[in-house]
């Protein structure tokens, strides 16, 4: 499991976008249960799950960011982060990712894809976490063992959360710097899925391209604005 996790950790930034693209391509565009109204409610459920995952990521990054991005494709951490949301869940960012992927699978609305895709995503993240835990246990020893003893791996225990973050300042600038790519990629994916479904069921009318073009312009404009602020170091993450 550790070896598998090291592999997925190294290529995780490429694996998941490719996997989601394949999921959209493999799933025939259709309305859930063959009805537009039903599909709308299913989409709202999926979007709610996506928002829950995104909110968890924002909450985590805003209070205390964990620099565990790896070094030369390998697991690496320069310190053992235990504050903020990490005081209540050891892997909140990964949990947020799992929720977001689950939400997208619901929005796509193909039963077999949910049944196959979600367990695979959970397995991949479980392997990545196994690789990280192996590294952290060797790197931080007793301190990490004590941390694992009091904080759940996956299920957050929110008891005492207000006290944990009370002395801390929520860093919105860091959220924008670290999360704008994920946020705009999620919005783009939702747009693609909606257009794909509409095109497969009804075709896209000429008037539809107007709002599609408008949304694309807003997405591109927002992304470029956030990226410019980051590159110009006008935001401090």
């Amino acid at each position: 499991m550790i070896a598998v996790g090291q592999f997925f950790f190294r290529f995780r930034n490429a694996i998941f976008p490719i996997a989601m693209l394949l999921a959209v391509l493999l799933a025939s565009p259709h309305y859930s249960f063959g009805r537009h109204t039903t599909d709308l409610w299913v989409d709202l459920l999926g979007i709610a799950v996506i928002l829950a995952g995104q909110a968890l990521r924002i909450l985590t990054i805003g209070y205390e960011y964990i620099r565990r991005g790896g070094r030369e494709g390998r697991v690496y951490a320069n310190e053992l982060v235990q504050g903020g949301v990490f005081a209540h869940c050891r892997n909140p960012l990964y949990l947020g990712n799992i929720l977001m992927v689950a939400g997208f699978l619901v929005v796509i609305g193909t039963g077999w894809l949910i049944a196959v895709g979600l367990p695979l995503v959970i397995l991949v993240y479980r392997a990545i976490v196994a690789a990280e835990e192996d590294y952290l246990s060797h790197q931080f020893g007793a301190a990490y063992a004590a941390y694992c003893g009091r904080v759940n791996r996956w299920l957050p225990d929110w008891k005492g959360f207000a006290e944990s973050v009370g002395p801390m300042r929520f860093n919105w600038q860091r959220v924008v710097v670290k999360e704008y790519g994920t946020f705009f990629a999620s919005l783009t994916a939702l747009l693609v899925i909606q257009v794909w479904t509409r095109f497969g069921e009804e075709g896209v009318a000429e008037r539809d391209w107007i709002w599609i073009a408008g949304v694309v312009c807003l997405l591109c404009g927002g992304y470029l604005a956030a990226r410019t602020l980051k590159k110009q170091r006008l935001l401090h993450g």
Side-chain angles (χ1 to χ4, degrees):
M1 183 68 79
I2 292 173
V4 172
Q6 290 171 340
F7 171 82
F8 282 124
F9 180 89
R10 183 172 186 177
F11 298 104
R12 68 196 186 284
N13 291 334
I15 288 174
F16 288 105
I18 293 173
M20 290 304 298
L21 178 60
L22 288 175
V24 173
L25 293 176
L26 290 173
S28 300
H30 65 283
Y31 289 144
S32 301
F33 302 102
R35 298 179 60 186
H36 180 271
T37 302
T38 306
D39 185 73
L40 176 60
W41 285 107
V42 171
D43 284 354
L44 290 175
L45 173 61
I47 291 172
V49 177
I50 293 170
L51 290 176
Q54 182 69 83
L56 181 57
R57 287 184 56 85
I58 290 173
L59 190 67
T60 301
I61 295 170
Y63 278 116
E64 186 153 9
Y65 184 65
I66 187 167
R67 291 172 176 81
R68 204 184 291 174
R71 174 179 288 181
E72 298 179 352
R74 297 179 179 272
V75 177
Y76 174 79
N78 59 349
E79 61 178 323
L80 181 60
V81 176
Q82 304 179 59
V85 179
F86 291 99
H88 302 269
C89 175
R90 289 180 358 229
N91 298 284
L93 293 175
Y94 289 159
L95 177 58
N97 291 349
I98 291 172
L99 288 172
M100 292 180 72
V101 172
F104 277 114
L105 292 175
V106 171
V107 171
I108 293 172
T110 301
W112 69 264
L113 194 60
I114 297 173
V116 174
L118 187 55
L120 282 177
V121 169
I122 293 173
L123 178 62
V124 167
Y125 274 115
R126 181 63 189 89
I128 290 175
V129 167
E132 290 190 346
E133 289 180 344
D134 179 70
Y135 173 87
L136 294 171
S137 64
H138 285 88
Q139 183 74 2
F140 300 107
Y144 183 67
Y147 174 58
C148 292
R150 67 176 182 272
V151 179
N152 294 336
R153 177 186 285 126
W154 293 110
L155 186 63
D157 180 1
W158 297 111
K159 184 179 180 180
F161 179 71
E163 289 77 9
S164 297
V165 300
M168 306 175 72
R169 181 181 64 86
F170 190 87
N171 191 334
W172 278 106
Q173 294 188 42
R174 182 167 62 208
V175 170
V176 174
V177 169
K178 302 297 183 182
E179 198 65 2
Y180 76 95
T182 299
F183 180 74
F184 286 106
S186 298
L187 291 179
T188 302
L190 283 173
L191 176 64
V192 169
I193 293 171
Q194 293 303 314
V195 173
W196 184 264
T197 302
R198 183 75 172 267
F199 178 79
E201 288 287 348
E202 303 177 5
V204 180
E206 184 176 349
R207 65 179 181 276
D208 291 328
W209 291 112
I210 298 175
W211 70 261
I212 292 172
V215 173
V216 170
C217 288
L218 286 174
L219 288 175
C220 292
Y223 178 85
L224 291 174
R227 186 168 181 80
T228 299
L229 289 172
K230 176 183 177 180
K231 292 300 182 181
Q232 295 297 323
R233 299 186 183 278
L234 298 176
L235 296 178
H236 302 285

